Amino acid sequence: MVDVAFAIPGDLKTPTGGYAYDREILARLPNLGFRVRHLQLPGGYPEPSSDDLARTRALFAELAPKDVLLVDGLAFGAMPEEIIRDVRVPIIALVHHPLGYEPGLPEERAEQLIASERAALKFARRVIVTSPFTKRLLTQEFEVPPDLITVAMPGTAPAERASGSGDGQEIKLLSVGSITPRKGYPILVQALAPLSGLDWRLTIVGPQDRDRAAFAELQAAIARHKLDDRIELTGALDRQRIAEAYAGADVFVLPSLFEGFGMVLTEAMARGLPIVCTTGGAAAETVPDDAALKVPPGAVEPLREALRQVICDADLRRRLADASWRAAQQLPRWEETAHRIAAVIREVAP
């Protein structure tokens, strides 16, 4: 029996893709022969206070000699080198996407985070990433040897195919994700504004408290373009209500500037939804080309044209939806993801 301490910052119930990934792995590793405990790090990461760092150091000092330490990248990349250097057990870093690649960061802070994560990763015995894109990025830009990196793509639960809006004329657009600068929602609003003569409605599902300035900017963009009656901001929803949102949608839209994987894209595919997304980061590879209209991140005009096409062309929506549904049948399940991570843990276990 291998003992694993899975270090995750903040509230494990946080409704984001990264935390969902962590929850799924925590739930499944015990069934694969591991004693796993959640090591709750302070919630200040990736901007930890001095107290946060002191608490982290103390928690790591309590690790038993035969432990394996699995650390979520939201914290690991922001840890000072001296804290990581003192850890006396094997470290596995789980990188969802590099912290310094978060759009909206001041340039100086982005450079600091990139340097910090590059230094931290040198102390990891192994690195787990959620996409081939992130593996290439860490190899090319963060000097991580490729043979130390394992790709463990997020699993996707089977789901019923979306029924959409039925025979109604109004096309229901859905976007899911925390309201942060990286998700590009004001760009989506700007793209939709000249299409107000078409019959559509957009629902944006996701936490609104991750970045207050980003939420205020989105609200201002909606008001400026007089789309308050066309765009609904629901906030975070529970699993059942999110499933209902997917089931009732006609098109899934993800205007992200960068994605380390894009779990909501595979969730949309699992419902057989046609997709409009950007090519930001791993999003370009997460969805097959025949299941989505893909546009460059941050490009308003191409996004507007893609949206116009899917709103106006029922045959196009049907073709994209069929391809999305077919591709979803090949997506990995969470059991496969957990088995990949389990194999890495066994490699480094004392």
Side-chain angles (χ1 to χ4, degrees):
M1 185 73 74
V2 178
D3 292 303
V4 181
F6 193 173
I8 305 167
D11 184 356
L12 188 60
K13 297 178 182 178
T14 301
T16 68
Y19 280 98
Y21 187 106
D22 294 350
R23 291 193 297 270
E24 296 286 352
I25 299 308
L26 271 172
R28 283 169 170 77
L29 285 180
N31 297 328
L32 299 177
F34 300 95
R35 278 190 296 262
V36 184
R37 68 184 185 279
H38 172 206
L39 193 66
Q40 185 172 1
L41 300 179
Y45 288 99
E47 302 293 344
S49 66
S50 57
D51 287 345
D52 292 338
L53 295 176
R55 176 61 179 158
T56 300
R57 186 189 294 273
L59 287 169
F60 286 174
E62 295 171 359
L63 294 169
K66 290 190 176 297
D67 280 340
V68 172
L69 177 61
L70 176 60
V71 189
D72 185 274
L74 184 63
F76 190 68
M79 289 180 186
E81 189 174 337
E82 56 269 22
I83 288 181
I84 304 172
R85 187 189 299 117
D86 289 344
V87 175
R88 298 307 177 197
V89 302
I91 298 173
I92 300 172
L94 169 59
V95 179
H96 302 283
H97 72 265
L99 297 175
Y101 282 66
E102 186 74 26
L105 288 173
E107 183 177 353
E108 182 179 1
R109 182 54 181 156
E111 291 174 354
Q112 290 172 348
L113 284 170
I114 289 170
S116 171
E117 194 154 8
R118 183 180 291 117
L121 286 167
K122 294 184 184 302
F123 292 91
R125 190 79 62 87
R126 294 288 190 278
V127 178
I128 294 169
V129 297
T130 57
S131 69
F133 171 87
T134 304
K135 178 175 181 176
R136 295 195 302 272
L137 185 60
L138 294 189
T139 299
Q140 296 165 7
E141 304 295 335
F142 289 79
E143 303 170 2
V144 181
D147 59 331
L148 299 185
I149 304 175
T150 295
V151 178
M153 290 173 56
T156 303
E160 293 186 3
R161 192 162 181 173
S163 56
S165 57
D167 296 329
Q169 295 300 308
E170 184 178 74
I171 301 301
K172 294 183 179 178
L173 310 174
L174 174 67
S175 194
V176 178
S178 302
I179 297 177
T180 64
R182 180 164 61 88
K183 295 301 181 180
Y185 289 127
I187 296 168
L188 175 56
V189 173
Q190 187 179 352
L192 282 169
L195 304 180
S196 58
L198 303 179
D199 205 356
W200 57 265
R201 180 172 297 276
L202 169 66
T203 300
I204 298 177
V205 177
Q208 300 171 354
D209 58 354
R210 306 291 290 175
D211 189 312
R212 295 293 186 184
F215 181 51
E217 181 185 0
L218 175 58
Q219 288 180 305
I222 293 170
R224 183 169 61 253
H225 292 291
K226 298 180 173 58
L227 294 175
D228 303 78
D229 61 339
R230 306 287 292 273
I231 299 178
E232 179 185 9
L233 307 179
T234 69
L237 300 179
D238 60 30
R239 182 174 297 184
Q240 177 60 37
R241 292 180 66 196
I242 290 178
E244 292 170 357
Y246 277 113
D250 296 301
V251 179
F252 186 82
V253 186
L254 189 69
S256 290
L257 302 177
F258 184 89
E259 288 289 341
F261 178 76
M263 285 172 56
V264 293
L265 290 170
T266 53
E267 289 173 1
M269 290 163 60
R271 275 80 175 185
L273 284 171
I275 294 170
V276 175
C277 67
T278 72
T279 55
E285 302 172 3
T286 300
V287 184
D289 290 344
D290 60 352
L293 299 182
K294 301 177 182 180
V295 302
V300 175
E301 291 295 339
L303 179 58
R304 178 178 298 143
E305 176 57 21
L307 290 166
R308 186 195 63 76
Q309 290 182 44
V310 295
I311 291 169
C312 295
D313 191 337
D315 288 337
L316 173 62
R317 292 198 302 275
R318 191 175 302 109
R319 291 196 302 272
L320 295 174
D322 288 345
S324 182
W325 181 252
R326 287 194 302 270
Q329 311 317 306
Q330 307 302 318
L331 292 171
R333 304 306 183 200
W334 282 110
E335 289 74 17
E336 181 179 336
T337 309
H339 275 284
R340 285 182 174 273
I341 293 175
V344 176
I345 295 171
R346 291 191 181 98
E347 287 178 6
V348 306

